[in-house]
Amino acid sequence: VRFVESGGGLVQAGESLRLSCAASGGTFSSYAMGWFRQAPGKEREFVASITWNGANSANVDSLKDRFTISRDNAKNAVYLDMNSLKPDDEAVYFCNEVNPLLRSRGPLFNYWGQGIQVTVSA
């Protein structure tokens, strides 16, 4: 299965963005999915995840009031809505398959797409 992220770009602090992750190959509707990000000079970190049917999600506490994960299995896509963006949110964002029960904050497989850059100006 291949994941391709899109929707990033340059925004000003306080603005919003919606990231999309399109899946090809495999059976996307059966996968739990997650978003991760990596800022320059930092480790890649977990942002949010969602079960295969969208019934449950997990979020980083510090981001849950601003970031929302969702999915549309008919479109083989998972989304990350990011509001009130801050310069600290600037990073490359990645999507990946995660544990089906959201029991881990790591990817199920250590195979990543190119990610999408989000740049936030102060």
Side-chain angles (χ1 to χ4, degrees):
V1 61
R2 181 168 174 256
F3 303 118
V4 178
E5 301 89 350
S6 63
L10 171 63
V11 296
Q12 292 188 334
E15 295 185 337
S16 300
L17 273 177
R18 166 174 266 207
L19 303 184
S20 299
C21 169
S24 60
T27 310
F28 175 79
S29 60
S30 68
Y31 303 154
M33 292 294 298
W35 282 98
F36 302 82
R37 68 183 185 182
Q38 187 167 19
K42 295 188 177 180
E43 296 287 322
R44 187 154 25 209
E45 64 177 357
F46 170 82
V47 174
S49 58
I50 190 166
T51 51
W52 68 274
N53 60 357
N56 294 290
S57 64
N59 301 270
V60 172
D61 284 345
S62 61
L63 298 176
K64 65 182 180 181
D65 291 337
R66 298 189 294 118
F67 289 16
T68 303
I69 189 171
S70 61
R71 68 188 296 156
D72 185 342
N73 286 343
K75 296 182 179 180
N76 281 1
V78 63
Y79 307 102
L80 184 68
D81 288 298
M82 306 185 295
N83 298 312
S84 302
L85 282 161
K86 304 176 181 180
D88 284 350
D89 297 319
E90 184 166 312
V92 178
Y93 285 72
F94 302 85
C95 61
N96 208 336
E97 188 180 357
V98 298
N99 179 277
L101 300 179
L102 309 187
R103 288 179 175 172
S104 169
R105 294 196 166 189
L108 201 57
F109 303 104
N110 194 26
Y111 176 79
W112 300 93
Q114 290 190 330
I116 191 70
Q117 176 71 45
V118 172
T119 303
V120 184
S121 63

